[in-house]
Amino acid sequence: PPPTVAGLVAALDVIDSDPERRLRLLDNARYFVQNLRSFGFRIENTESAIVPVILGEELVTRKVARGLHEHGIFASAVVFPAVSKTRARIRFSVMSSHSRSDLDCVCEVMQKLGRLHGIVQ
């Protein structure tokens, strides 16, 4: 549809006019993944700003998603049948506009929730 095409063209214009934004996005995603991995979270290889944190069990994943929401953090729980029953995950979308303190805050909340639910030590 024309509105979708217009949105895509506008997005491509932003990419062309502000290459630093793309670099910030990739840097933020790498930083976020490294921090979560340092706490012991399982994150498969990703070169995207979409960061899936594999938690395994659906119930635990839903509890973590709820805890994130209670802290004002938006992240999606992805559970069966979208993924296998043993590969439930939280999906984060990192943005170029996130600051390091934003990312650190999410990592700290994830560490707290991970410890609470026995996912990390």
Side-chain angles (χ1 to χ4, degrees), residues 16-18 31 49 58 77 81 83-84 90 100-101 112 114 117-119:
D16 284 342
S17 66
D18 189 3
Y31 179 82
E58 180 176 342
V83 294
S84 71
I90 300 291
R100 288 291 163 103
S101 63
K112 176 182 167 186
H117 297 292
I119 302 163

Side-chain angles (χ1 to χ4, degrees), residues 36 41 53-79 88-92 106-120:
L36 288 175
F41 287 102
V53 180
I54 312 294
L55 301 181
E57 297 178 28
E58 180 176 342
L59 182 58
V60 170
T61 301
R62 290 188 185 278
K63 287 179 179 180
V64 169
R66 182 176 180 178
L68 289 165
H69 178 75
E70 289 171 354
H71 282 86
I73 298 167
F74 176 78
S76 303
V78 182
V79 297
R89 63 197 64 192
I90 300 291
R91 182 178 293 151
F92 292 95
V106 174
C107 288
E108 288 171 18
V109 171
M110 276 297 289
Q111 183 182 32
K112 176 182 167 186
L113 292 169
R115 285 179 175 160
L116 178 67
H117 297 292
I119 302 163
V120 298

Side-chain angles (χ1 to χ4, degrees), residues 3 11 14 34-35 50 71 81 96 99 121:
V14 169
Q34 288 171 350
N35 280 344
I50 306 301
H71 282 86
S96 64
S99 68
Q121 295 185 358

